[in-house]
Amino acid sequence: MKVVKFGGSSLASGPAVENALNIITAESERQVVVTSAPGKRFDSDIKVTDLLIKYAHEVNHGRDGSAIAEQIFQRYVEIGQYFHLPIEDLLPLKDILLGLPKQTYPNKNYLLAAFKAHGERLNAKLIAKILQSQGVKARYVDPKDAGIIVTGTPNNASVSPESYQLLDNFSYEADEKLIFPGFYGYTLAGHIATFSRGGSDITGAILARGFHADLYENFTDVDAIFSANPKVVDDPQPIHTMTYREMRELSYAGFSVFHDEALIPAIQGQIPINVKNTRHPEKRGTMIVPEKGFKPETIITGIASGKHFGALYLHKYLLNKEVGFTLRILRILNKYKLSYEHMPTGIDDLTIIFDRDTLNDELIDELCNDIQTEISPDHLDWISDYAIIMLVGEGMRDRIGVMRDIALPVAREGISLRMVNQGASEISIMLGTEAKDADRAVAAIYDYFFKQGE
Amino acid sequence: MKVVKFGGSSLASGPAVENALNIITAESERQVVVTSAPGKRFDSDIKVTDLLIKYAHEVNHGRDGSAIAEQIFQRYVEIGQYFHLPIEDLLPLKDILLGLPKQTYPNKNYLLAAFKAHGERLNAKLIAKILQSQGVKARYVDPKDAGIIVTGTPNNASVSPESYQLLDNFSYEADEKLIFPGFYGYTLAGHIATFSRGGSDITGAILARGFHADLYENFTDVDAIFSANPKVVDDPQPIHTMTYREMRELSYAGFSVFHDEALIPAIQGQIPINVKNTRHPEKRGTMIVPEKGFKPETIITGIASGKHFGALYLHKYLLNKEVGFTLRILRILNKYKLSYEHMPTGIDDLTIIFDRDTLNDELIDELCNDIQTEISPDHLDWISDYAIIMLVGEGMRDRIGVMRDIALPVAREGISLRMVNQGASEISIMLGTEAKDADRAVAAIYDYFFKQGE
């Protein structure tokens, strides 16, 4: 049995949904379907999720949102009409949308979560109806009925372990297609709470684990996950197979095709993931598989980069003789609820690398003040334009000369390496450069590893 | 004015002391002299400090130590007789030695410290007498009279800041040589406490700072500090000039010519240090100078390595999403009063590198148990044969291609790099290898940087 998940752009219009339905019906094993909310049909289009956020905002401010509700409904009408669904099949969706403000919610955040979730919810209902109209035995299943229980904040929830027991007990026919909305679950008190944005990937992974699927097919709008960002490297090679761990390390530094958190249920259930293109389902896509038994074909599987980092540099004589020194630094970070990305340490030096998005100038000032007062370093510098490049590959494990092969093209390009962090992970090397050099470094390293034979 | 310190091998015998005295009297600026205890005269010889430790041990166990005291006294007699000192000038030293057990000490550790300190103390008294017998205006100065106040444990004390005010007020003649014993000071309660072993370097640095010396000359038994360990690299280049910071980073990983802690007072007073050879005082030796104004002549100043490390490797999915994760690890380390050397972090991996000398197998087991219980990592490994190689040079700052120049020879030798840590410090790169590969790696990198022209 396979779980099949479609992204927003794969369900944005009638023709797109038709494509998806062909994929669903092409194989009887594709039994569990997870929907996203309709995405963009064209560049300047607005995603349904964004319309729903606007709708929730209006309602949260006591204003009438019915015009936006109508705009949202029209997106579903457009798809339904493409399949010649009678309007009476569509009107219940409108009722649900217009009924949303009348429900009760514990607070405004729960209202927002419930509104957002309806992009997926209505799409799943619609797709079940379309399949039924085509004579396919299909059933809409609400996460509540299947038992997707979540905890945490209403707009950034996590799945509860008991969900897997409930899913295990969920019964369905061998010839039935189950259509699940992605992105959300229910709290124990019965309220809707969503995963983080793009969380339909997470629902798919939860269902794949819960139903013990043989494969989790993740349909999106690219032919494969590429070994480098196509905006940085011309025509990068597709990755045919990679491990969970490789995916995780590449996601970290910028690979955004597959949702990071969605890996966890797949890993727990050891379910292979296949990222494929809705428009080219015949292409093999990218398989993401367990480490066990995996035989790498190349040294480096992928190169990712992120430019959204900043670094705090600290020098103090005899720093490493001070027991508990790092502890004091971490206590300061903890006070501001700040998590850091990395902390390379020298003898008397320490660099703390932050995700810039978690910081603002005021916080940086306060942090520096605290460190100055408590630690009295001899030097303290803030570097704001830090880029991190991740080179990931199971093939670099125990392989000699990888650092040379990275350092050669970087030096040839005249790029200065601000940081090299190798050794924490066996399958990746992390480089730091100035933000302005990052793309050139990625391209040079890519060419060295992937185009040497040419 | 210069402070001149002599190491134990430079004061081990009559001829050695004669050499030292020639150096002292060769320049009128060499006014402050710091002595060590007589060291080894030949390979199987026993250092006076070790005899004193044995003496203290006997006394601490309630046994008669006078035979050892006599053995110690004979070392001074031998030197005194070389200079034809009358025996009545030497007998007071014997009285002091034999009187040591009759003094009162707060505890056995203070007794040990006081006994140990007399290697330097008696040598300083003896050298002052010899100089006087040669018509030189010389004066023995006890640390108590000059004001070297220390705090901390009796056998691992630290200098108190007030010492510098007291030294500032200490008056002496412009044509007078002051002979100070190294290695110890006095607590506020008036008891002797020593610095860590080899601590005469520290006394020299304290006096250099306290007396605002123009130069701190540190006489030892090597022509210079070498750019690599002569046991690993054939005929390594001497370092003519290096910065405090370079010395500090090289000391860390194994350069043991100059005592690490002795750098601090020198840095605080910005006193340049000249490490020279007692037997070849005409050679320029190695200058250790402030960073300001220093112009590096080579990219790498020195390569050091240490093989006494172990590493704990830890992998846990979504590790870097857990705020306060490292904090929890550090709290566990703190519980065992363990300080770590480095902690490279990956996305979901963490390696903690320890000095093996601070650990035993039982402690490693307890630590792993605690981490297992509190953190539940997916993998936890202990690697016991870790070597750290430090490449240090102010010249590598902002220089492009250094990593390539390091990685090339290492790869050519077929050596696997377990860790690369660059970026915390601007003037050093740290490599990790298996202990068995460390010497080969050092030799290969040395040859690449220092012998490319040959």
Side-chain angles (χ1 to χ4, degrees), chain A residues 328-390:
Chain A
R328 276 154 64 207
I329 295 261
L330 291 180
R331 280 192 187 126
I332 296 172
L333 297 185
N334 218 35
K335 178 179 150 191
Y336 292 104
K337 300 269 171 264
L338 263 177
S339 70
Y340 65 91
E341 301 297 310
H342 300 284
M343 184 156 54
T345 55
I347 311 307
D348 291 333
D349 315 77
L350 182 76
T351 303
I352 313 172
I353 298 165
F354 295 96
D355 186 337
R356 279 234 56 163
D357 302 341
T358 66
L359 285 172
N360 56 48
D361 289 351
E362 199 189 326
L363 202 53
I364 295 167
D365 280 349
E366 283 180 45
L367 184 67
C368 289
N369 278 341
D370 266 28
I371 289 175
Q372 197 71 58
T373 314
E374 281 202 38
I375 317 280
S376 319
D378 301 322
H379 295 286
L380 186 65
D381 279 325
W382 171 252
I383 303 147
S384 65
D385 63 334
Y386 215 97
I388 287 183
I389 298 170
M390 287 286 298

Side-chain angles (χ1 to χ4, degrees), chain A residues 15-254:
Chain A
V17 170
E18 187 173 31
N19 234 332
L21 297 186
N22 288 339
I23 290 167
I24 293 166
T25 53
E27 291 185 24
S28 61
E29 285 164 297
R30 287 176 176 147
Q31 252 193 296
V32 173
V33 176
V34 179
T35 65
S36 299
K40 290 184 179 187
R41 292 158 296 182
F42 42 86
D43 262 4
S44 61
D45 200 11
I46 303 171
K47 293 178 181 177
V48 166
T49 305
D50 288 320
L51 292 173
L52 284 161
I53 290 169
K54 210 169 148 195
Y55 183 20
H57 188 76
E58 293 299 297
V59 173
N60 265 335
H61 285 78
R63 294 191 286 265
D64 173 35
S66 56
I68 301 165
E70 181 61 39
Q71 196 184 345
I72 295 165
F73 176 57
Q74 282 308 316
R75 291 292 306 265
Y76 296 100
V77 170
E78 184 196 308
I79 297 168
Q81 286 182 339
Y82 181 87
F83 292 97
H84 312 293
L85 279 199
I87 193 70
E88 57 269 28
D89 275 4
L90 297 170
L91 285 174
L93 305 186
K94 188 173 183 175
D95 292 343
I96 294 173
L97 272 171
L98 291 172
L100 280 175
K102 292 160 203 152
Q103 308 284 327
T104 54
Y105 306 96
N107 60 42
K108 290 182 176 181
N109 289 326
Y110 278 97
L111 181 147
L112 174 64
F115 275 55
K116 278 193 309 181
H118 276 75
E120 279 72 11
R121 188 160 186 248
L122 301 185
N123 221 15
K125 282 179 180 283
L126 177 63
I127 284 164
K129 277 222 192 300
I130 297 168
L131 281 168
Q132 287 156 7
S133 78
Q134 296 177 339
V136 177
K137 189 170 174 185
R139 167 157 61 122
Y140 165 80
V141 186
D142 201 81
K144 194 179 227 163
D145 301 324
I148 299 184
I149 309 295
V150 297
T151 55
T153 52
N155 291 285
N156 192 15
S158 308
V159 66
S160 258
E162 65 259 41
S163 304
Y164 296 109
Q165 278 149 6
L166 295 167
L167 287 170
D168 223 11
N169 296 330
F170 184 81
S171 64
Y172 57 97
E173 309 291 317
D175 60 347
E176 194 180 23
K177 306 274 188 198
L178 306 177
I179 319 297
F180 280 88
F183 191 35
Y184 72 100
Y186 286 83
T187 64
L188 277 176
H191 297 290
I192 284 178
T194 70
F195 301 120
S196 55
R197 186 109 199 213
S200 292
D201 281 349
I202 301 175
T203 302
I206 293 166
L207 295 175
R209 180 183 163 192
F211 289 136
H212 311 286
D214 302 304
L215 184 66
Y216 171 23
E217 289 182 312
N218 194 288
F219 281 93
T220 176
D221 53 3
V222 290
D223 283 346
I225 297 175
F226 292 99
S227 45
N229 186 346
K231 286 176 190 155
V232 174
V233 168
D234 284 340
D235 200 18
Q237 285 187 19
I239 300 170
H240 292 312
T241 311
M242 68 199 298
T243 64
Y244 295 135
R245 199 161 54 161
E246 287 177 325
M247 183 73 249
R248 166 92 178 109
E249 303 223 357
L250 286 168
S251 295
Y252 167 79

